[in-house]
Amino acid sequence: ARIGLALAKGLVRGADLPLVGISSLACLAFRQAVAHPGDDVCACYDARREEVYTGTYRWTGDALETIDDERIAAPSSLREQFEARGDDGRDTWLVGNGVQTFEPLGRDDHSRVHPLPAWEQGPSGVAATLLGRRQLEQQGSDDIDVLEPNYIRPSSAEENRRREDES
């Protein structure tokens, strides 16, 4: 992500074009959210360590709304979150490479949680373009001098360095 963002910054700076940062999780959820307006789409990327990067979104009218902020979560806490919502009449669609963790949720015929098969998932260039254009129209471009990837969790090397500094 850092290399791709550095390349994008160089290209837009040289061409004097605007740049906006968009969420990979929102981009992943976009297609399913548009296909099932009003339902929730929980995007999940494998974060290793038996956790997922996740965010929940909903297509409302003409926009992708964030329902649950992006974070790191254990699959069991997401299962509890889905169960706590009860039957609010919405289905929840699970997308992303972290979905294998949730497979048991979709096996109950009475469940409103639907993990999608791998062939039906993946972020889309169209989603990135549409989300970026909407952000540009509503909030303007990001400051390319301060725009950084949002990794949600520090890398193992960063965590080790922090622990060493604290000792």
Side-chain angles (χ1 to χ4, degrees):
R2 285 190 174 116
I3 293 170
L5 184 57
L7 175 64
K9 286 179 173 185
L11 292 172
V12 301
R13 189 181 305 271
D16 196 30
L17 294 171
L19 179 67
V20 294
I22 59 167
S23 162
S24 297
L25 288 165
C27 191
L28 178 64
F30 185 85
R31 181 182 348 192
Q32 204 61 27
V34 170
H36 300 279
D39 285 347
D40 293 344
V41 179
C42 180
C44 307
Y45 279 124
D46 186 356
R48 309 274 189 242
R49 305 180 202 171
E50 299 182 19
E51 295 177 313
V52 292
Y53 299 110
T54 185
T56 305
Y57 307 88
R58 184 180 304 145
W59 186 257
T60 55
D62 64 348
L64 189 67
E65 178 185 347
T66 301
I67 303 303
D68 295 314
D69 288 336
E70 296 174 355
R71 67 193 188 287
I72 282 193
S76 60
S77 71
L78 285 180
R79 182 175 291 117
E80 291 168 6
Q81 173 186 320
F82 298 146
E83 290 170 358
R85 285 192 180 147
D87 189 8
D88 62 1
R90 298 181 200 283
D91 287 338
T92 299
W93 302 88
L94 303 175
V95 298
N97 70 5
V99 168
Q100 301 81 277
T101 310
F102 301 103
E103 193 172 335
L105 287 174
R107 291 191 179 170
D108 177 2
D109 290 337
H110 303 290
S111 175
R112 297 198 74 141
V113 178
H114 312 284
L116 295 178
W119 60 267
E120 211 176 326
Q121 302 179 43
S124 143
V126 171
T129 301
L130 294 174
L131 290 170
R133 182 178 69 188
R134 181 173 198 71
Q135 182 172 324
L136 182 63
E137 290 169 351
Q138 292 182 344
Q139 300 168 6
S141 66
D142 288 322
D143 181 345
I144 63 173
D145 294 327
V146 297
L147 181 63
E148 293 293 328
N150 176 14
Y151 286 109
I152 302 175
R153 171 174 67 198
S155 70
S156 295
E158 291 168 324
E159 288 177 346
N160 291 339
R161 187 176 333 121
R162 181 180 42 92
R163 279 193 290 270
E164 288 173 5
D165 290 346
E166 290 174 354
S167 325

